[in-house]
Amino acid sequence: MTATESIKIEKPPKGASIPAKKGIKKAILGIFKKALETESLDALIIPVKVPETESYAWVLLKDTALLENADPLPPVMTIQGGKVLSDLTKHGKINKNIAAVLRPCETRAAVELFKLKQLHFENISLISIDCPGAIPLSEYLAEPEKSEKSFGNVLDKWDGDDSVREICKTCYRFSLPTLTNAPASDLHIGLSGNTKDDVVLIPVTSKGEKILEKLDLKPESSLQKWETKIKEIKKIKSQRRKEFNHDFKTNISGPEKFTAVFDGCINCHNCQSVCPICYCQQCYFDSATTKLSSEDYFRRAKERGALRFPLDTMLFHLGRMSHMALSCVSCGACEDGLPHVHFRISGLQPRRRADPASIQLYPGNK
Amino acid sequence: MSDVLKIKKPVEEGITEFLKYLLEKNKVNGKFSQLLPKYWEAAKNSEVLPSLRPTCTACEHFVPALADIIVSVAGNKNLTEECSLHLNTSKGEELAQGAPGNKTTEKLNDRELSKLKELRQKEREKLFASVKDKNLGLAGMVKTFAPCLSCHGCRQVCPICFCTLCDFDSKTQEDKPSHYESELQQKGGARIPSGTLYFHTGRMIHMAVSCVNCGMCSDVCPVDIPVATLFSMVGESLQKLFDYLPGKDLEEPAPCETFIENEFAGLGE
Amino acid sequence: MEKAYTPQIIGFLCNWCSYTGADLAGVSRLQIPSSIRVIRLMCSGRIDPLFVTKAIFKGSDGVMMMGCHPGDCHYQKGNYYTRRRYKTIKTVLEVLHLDAERIVLSWVSASEGVKYARVTKEFSNKITGLGPNPLKKEIFL
């Protein structure tokens, strides 16, 4: 038995094409509405705009009226979806048939949390969606309309990456985690590669197949066009990642440059609390263990001539990296969660990880 | 009236020199670099600057009454000529013993200070009015905290929130799947994570009476919720209720750890 | 047919006075509103303000905090702290323009069965008048 009680389909040959004349968002929400109305699903987890605001919140819903304000792919990532699933099922399985609509990095975070025993997959189907990236949260909140617009452009062109977060620009796992290896979702929504006229629902596991069956949707469309386009974008983004890694390495190498990255850190630990992987109830770095006696402080101050407060910010970041970066899914939540003292950390995380290709294992693979 | 140590230098240089002296005296041979020149520039003008944190523009307690040494900045007309260190306690006097500079005796400029205080009070009213219009009531609170990421950064940086493990991060406050099932049943939907407003209200009830209006919570907020202003407002009412000013007096117990036998007479009868 | 609205009120009662008072009311066959759900604590001083806040935010229509009269606390001074906490909760909710009226404090001694019946009835009527707690239906809390 696998984690999700479902059987992987070797290589999804075909998908179900859904007309999207009124826009992809409407088309996808239409499917979800039908799924809830026909009780193919008991409930759905999806970002919903809080009424009269521009903020997105994660909502578990069965009332289809709430879908009016829902967005399967909002321009921003507020709270990491994997974390949301963990909040829901940390203490046991849920007894409703639920689907969660997540970005690929969110599904992978969910899988990591499952491995870390922070999440129960029973009765939950993961629906992943092709993701062109997310707009930086602070930029979106400052100018929501402008951001919605630029996100629309990104979604149309799949190359207008300028307005998405740095980490998203270099993300080459923006689609169904892999076509050949074990998947991290049950049903995938393919956007790129299709014209704006349709979206394609790709069953990835038997669970996903069942959802399509219940909705009376037959996977009969060829995926070739979508696959080709995905490969194309993947190539561009992988190249960008390589360049980024190279530049980044040059920019942070050596203790001076490296410490400069964290100069602005005020020890708020926001990066840790929004990280989907950092699941500890009480972080070691918040515990009494890290508090020193006044003699210790003074001794350290004497040794170095001065002591910076808060203490050991670098130890915190390096410690967190060594604890968690192996499971880092490069979602960028840590950077979005920073107070507006912007320093780059999400770029650092993947660097600490072994080359996934060489060990045939990367976070989020079931 | 207190002793004054006068260093014949502009205030930022003077204070640097004094701190250098203190570091050397205590055998801590560090580099003391001058920080935030912009901030000094603002402090010099001793006016309400809109670019300050909102809670700072509305701060009435800018004279550190309990400090051992008070650097006279606000309302000090001679800022660029000299640096005046008011030795406020015996500890302060002891620290300054033998330090470079001349000693005189004078008072802080009360007239200028109360003028600034009045300006700040007006800002305070304006600031509170700005949230009263749109951020209060159930609907207002829901909108205000809509973007909250539940990062609890406001709690993390709060000087008053000292708990090693906050109740809101503990298992007590984690909901079981059955909770969400019943929410689905009753409301047709549930926000995850749950309890955003509960967290902020709960934290206010626990801590706002000791809120010193420092503004850290708003500064750290990644989604720009005016947490500090709300805390400041709630804190002011609580402090009035218990006739309490946080940080004023070491001997005065915090309102939550004391009581007066015959207060609130008639309540609960 | 729509059911008539019966509020759901949580009562936090101290063991020594109020719970005994409630017991006396029962033994005396006094009528107690069915809307009250009692949670017994050893002392009203054990009522963490978060208990009250959580009850309100999770949708209870009202919360009653009950303990010994000032001066009568089994633990000498627990209820004096309760009194300050009660005022704190009320003030915070008032400043935030949330329904502070849904929370009440009553001193009920072990011999005051009649008072227990009276205050619960009065509060229950008041809450019925206020209607359901709007937080009960709010999703984006």
Side-chain angles (χ1 to χ4, degrees):
Chain A
M1 199 181 100
T2 62
T4 57
E5 316 154 312
S6 56
I7 302 149
K8 183 188 106 195
I9 300 166
E10 264 322 310
K11 186 179 172 189
K14 292 201 162 165
S17 166
I18 311 291
K21 291 268 176 331
K22 285 182 187 161
I24 48 175
K25 192 171 124 183
K26 280 227 166 101
I28 297 167
L29 290 179
I31 296 290
F32 292 150
K33 196 172 174 209
K34 195 174 156 196
L36 289 173
E37 278 169 356
T38 56
E39 290 178 6
S40 312
L41 288 172
D42 292 332
L44 192 68
I45 299 174
I46 190 168
V48 175
K49 229 181 211 178
V50 179
E52 295 176 61
T53 74
E54 298 298 337
S55 311
Y56 290 93
W58 283 96
V59 173
L60 169 71
L61 61 88
K62 70 168 190 179
D63 182 356
T64 49
L66 282 164
L67 279 179
E68 292 287 314
N69 288 324
D71 195 335
L73 189 62
V76 281
M77 181 194 282
T78 52
I79 294 171
Q80 227 271 8
K83 206 177 172 61
V84 171
L85 270 185
S86 169
D87 274 352
L88 180 66
T89 64
K90 189 190 283 180
H91 293 295
K93 64 170 187 180
I94 190 143
N95 294 311
K96 300 267 179 199
N97 180 17
I98 286 171
V101 192
L102 305 170
R103 290 180 139 97
C105 57
E106 292 174 323
T107 66
R108 284 170 32 235
V111 171
E112 286 306 285
L113 284 164
F114 168 80
K115 292 179 197 166
L116 297 164
K117 301 184 174 55
Q118 300 302 311
L119 189 149
H120 288 79
F121 268 131
E122 289 93 336
N123 300 328
I124 291 181
S125 311
L126 297 180
I127 301 179
S128 55
I129 185 164
D130 281 346
C131 169
I135 308 280
L137 190 54
S138 54
E139 277 174 34
Y140 173 79
L141 288 168
E143 290 179 298
E145 271 173 42
K146 194 181 147 201
S147 298
E148 295 262 7
K149 218 176 186 179
S150 54
F151 187 69
N153 286 338
V154 174
L155 206 48
D156 277 350
K157 294 185 195 134
W158 281 90
D159 58 359
D161 282 1
D162 281 350
S163 48
V164 298
R165 307 184 292 187
E166 286 296 316
I167 194 79
C168 299
K169 282 180 201 168
T170 60
C171 172
Y172 51 95
R173 298 194 177 105
F174 57 90
S175 184
L176 180 60
T178 160
L179 286 176
T180 52
N181 216 328
S185 88
D186 298 299
L187 186 68
H188 184 75
I189 304 176
L191 302 178
S192 49
N194 292 280
T195 58
K196 276 175 260 170
D197 300 335
D198 70 336
V199 293
V200 58
L201 301 183
I202 306 158
V204 190
T205 65
S206 54
K207 246 182 181 177
E209 260 181 343
K210 244 178 229 159
I211 295 177
L212 287 188
E213 245 168 60
K214 279 187 189 164
L215 287 169
D216 224 1
L217 293 168
K218 295 195 174 59
E220 287 168 341
S221 308
S222 156
L223 294 178
Q224 209 185 354
K225 206 167 78 181
W226 172 74
E227 272 177 8
T228 318
K229 183 76 179 177
I230 291 289
K231 270 183 196 148
E232 219 173 87
I233 304 168
K234 208 172 228 177
K235 212 172 152 192
I236 298 170
K237 293 222 172 184
S238 303
Q239 182 57 32
R240 234 184 256 164
R241 177 64 153 226
K242 245 185 225 159
E243 286 161 17
F244 170 80
N245 280 359
H246 179 265
D247 292 351
F248 201 66
K249 201 174 174 184
T250 342
N251 291 338
I252 63 154
S253 284
E256 269 186 27
K257 282 186 199 166
F258 188 68
T259 41
V261 177
F262 296 103
D263 264 355
C265 177
I266 58 165
N267 233 21
C268 65
H269 294 192
N270 276 9
C271 51
Q272 172 245 91
S273 45
V274 299
C275 174
I277 308 299
C278 268
Y279 62 82
C280 294
Q281 193 107 54
Q282 173 155 49
C283 177
Y284 167 81
F285 293 101
D286 285 335
S287 72
T289 328
T290 58
K291 310 285 184 292
L292 301 181
S293 70
S294 49
E295 287 86 7
D296 280 327
Y297 285 119
F298 202 69
R299 183 181 46 75
R300 284 174 70 168
K302 267 189 163 171
E303 274 168 11
R304 301 185 183 205
L307 195 59
R308 183 204 161 169
F309 281 86
L311 225 53
D312 294 332
T313 48
M314 189 65 89
L315 183 69
F316 164 72
H317 290 287
L318 289 173
R320 206 169 79 80
M321 273 174 213
S322 51
H323 270 176
M324 311 312 301
L326 192 65
S327 287
C328 172
V329 294
S330 303
C331 68
C334 47
E335 266 183 26
D336 261 355
L338 282 182
H340 301 161
V341 196
H342 285 295
F343 55 97
R344 303 283 314 281
I345 52 177
S346 66
L348 282 174
Q349 307 286 22
R351 295 204 51 77
R352 311 294 303 177
R353 203 171 65 206
D355 178 12
S358 68
I359 51 173
Q360 289 293 306
L361 169 98
Y362 70 78
N365 247 355
K366 277 190 234 176
Chain B
M1 287 296 221
S2 62
D3 288 347
V4 177
L5 176 68
K6 298 242 179 203
I7 303 165
K8 287 282 170 214
K9 284 203 171 147
V11 68
E12 60 266 53
E13 284 173 47
I15 192 71
T16 309
E17 186 169 303
F18 183 70
L19 287 169
K20 259 187 194 158
Y21 162 77
L22 284 187
L23 290 172
E24 262 160 48
K25 191 173 170 178
N26 291 304
K27 305 273 183 287
V28 181
N29 299 312
K31 285 184 226 161
F32 182 83
S33 60
Q34 189 194 321
L35 296 168
L36 307 171
K38 264 189 185 170
Y39 178 78
W40 270 121
E41 193 53 41
K44 257 186 204 172
N45 296 327
S46 72
E47 276 174 1
V48 178
L49 287 162
S51 55
L52 291 182
R53 286 174 175 172
T55 40
C56 293
T57 64
C59 172
E60 296 168 25
H61 305 290
F62 47 87
V63 179
L66 271 189
D68 296 305
I69 296 177
I70 301 173
V71 183
S72 165
V73 176
N76 187 342
K77 299 290 181 205
N78 298 325
L79 272 190
T80 42
E81 284 84 47
E82 61 184 20
C83 164
S84 300
L85 305 175
H86 288 250
L87 313 174
N88 201 31
T89 64
S90 53
K91 213 191 251 174
E93 286 193 12
E94 206 177 296
L95 278 171
Q97 206 115 60
N102 302 321
K103 257 191 182 175
T104 66
T105 309
E106 58 185 67
K107 267 179 81 180
L108 288 167
N109 190 337
D110 280 343
R111 206 168 52 88
E112 285 292 318
L113 292 181
S114 52
K115 200 178 95 191
L116 182 59
K117 193 168 173 177
E118 245 171 66
L119 280 173
R120 295 274 180 96
Q121 268 162 353
K122 273 189 198 133
E123 285 299 318
R124 198 169 174 81
E125 279 161 29
K126 260 197 261 170
L127 182 67
F128 288 177
S130 74
V131 292
K132 263 179 193 150
D133 293 341
K134 50 178 201 285
N135 299 87
L136 302 182
L138 177 57
M141 292 280 284
V142 166
K143 276 189 258 175
T144 305
F145 290 102
C148 178
L149 300 177
S150 298
C151 69
H152 296 188
C154 47
R155 197 246 11 245
Q156 183 81 15
V157 298
C158 175
I160 307 299
C161 268
F162 61 84
C163 294
T164 303
L165 179 60
C166 175
D167 197 51
F168 289 101
D169 282 342
S170 74
K171 217 172 169 180
T172 332
Q173 304 291 359
E174 284 177 354
D175 289 313
K176 299 216 160 56
S178 56
H179 162 81
Y180 291 102
E181 285 166 23
S182 79
E183 291 271 293
L184 265 184
Q185 193 70 31
Q186 284 170 23
K187 304 182 183 177
R191 182 181 183 172
I192 312 178
S194 63
T196 304
L197 274 193
Y198 168 50
F199 164 70
H200 290 284
T201 316
R203 205 168 78 83
M204 278 178 200
I205 291 172
H206 270 176
M207 309 312 301
V209 77
S210 285
C211 172
V212 293
N213 305 336
C214 67
M216 280 305 290
C217 45
S218 277
D219 243 22
V220 83
C221 183
V223 291
D224 296 332
I225 297 168
V227 206
T229 307
L230 289 169
F231 255 82
S232 189
M233 216 163 86
V234 169
E236 193 182 79
S237 296
L238 287 175
Q239 287 149 17
K240 256 186 214 155
L241 178 71
F242 296 115
D243 189 21
Y244 181 73
L245 179 65
K248 189 186 72 178
D249 186 353
L250 267 175
E251 303 300 321
E252 191 180 13
C256 59
E257 53 175 21
T258 187
F259 59 86
I260 301 163
E261 260 179 49
N262 51 7
E263 65 188 346
F264 309 120
L267 188 71
E269 293 305 333
Chain C
M1 202 182 83
E2 193 140 315
K3 264 201 290 181
Y5 163 61
T6 321
Q8 200 182 64
I9 295 166
I10 309 282
F12 292 105
L13 274 58
C14 87
N15 175 63
W16 302 101
C17 289
S18 305
Y19 193 82
T20 317
D23 195 39
L24 178 63
V27 171
S28 316
R29 306 259 166 178
L30 296 172
Q31 208 183 354
I32 312 295
S34 62
S35 52
I36 308 278
R37 273 81 163 158
V38 172
I39 295 175
R40 176 169 61 158
L41 306 105
M42 289 311 284
C43 177
S44 61
R46 175 65 183 89
I47 308 173
D48 185 326
L50 291 189
F51 296 172
V52 180
T53 324
K54 188 167 187 170
I56 291 291
F57 275 89
K58 296 278 171 179
S60 296
D61 296 306
V63 176
M64 299 188 86
M65 297 163 71
M66 294 193 203
C68 310
H69 286 266
D72 292 348
C73 177
H74 189 81
Y75 307 98
Q76 270 75 41
K77 47 189 186 179
N79 52 1
Y80 290 121
Y81 295 110
T82 314
R83 196 166 58 182
R84 286 203 154 200
R85 283 172 200 155
Y86 168 75
K87 287 301 277 186
T88 303
I89 303 168
K90 289 282 267 195
T91 307
V92 172
L93 295 186
E94 272 161 20
V95 176
L96 298 176
H97 293 194
L98 297 173
D99 272 354
E101 282 178 283
R102 294 184 183 273
I103 300 164
V104 80
L105 173 80
S106 279
W107 308 129
V108 172
S109 78
S111 61
E112 291 179 323
V114 177
K115 184 179 178 185
Y116 180 79
R118 177 173 60 83
V119 292
T120 49
K121 192 180 161 206
E122 277 171 8
F123 189 62
S124 185
N125 287 344
K126 182 181 167 186
I127 296 295
T128 311
L130 283 176
N133 180 359
L135 277 74
K136 204 183 297 220
K137 290 282 168 203
E138 180 60 56
I139 289 168
F140 297 97
L141 279 180

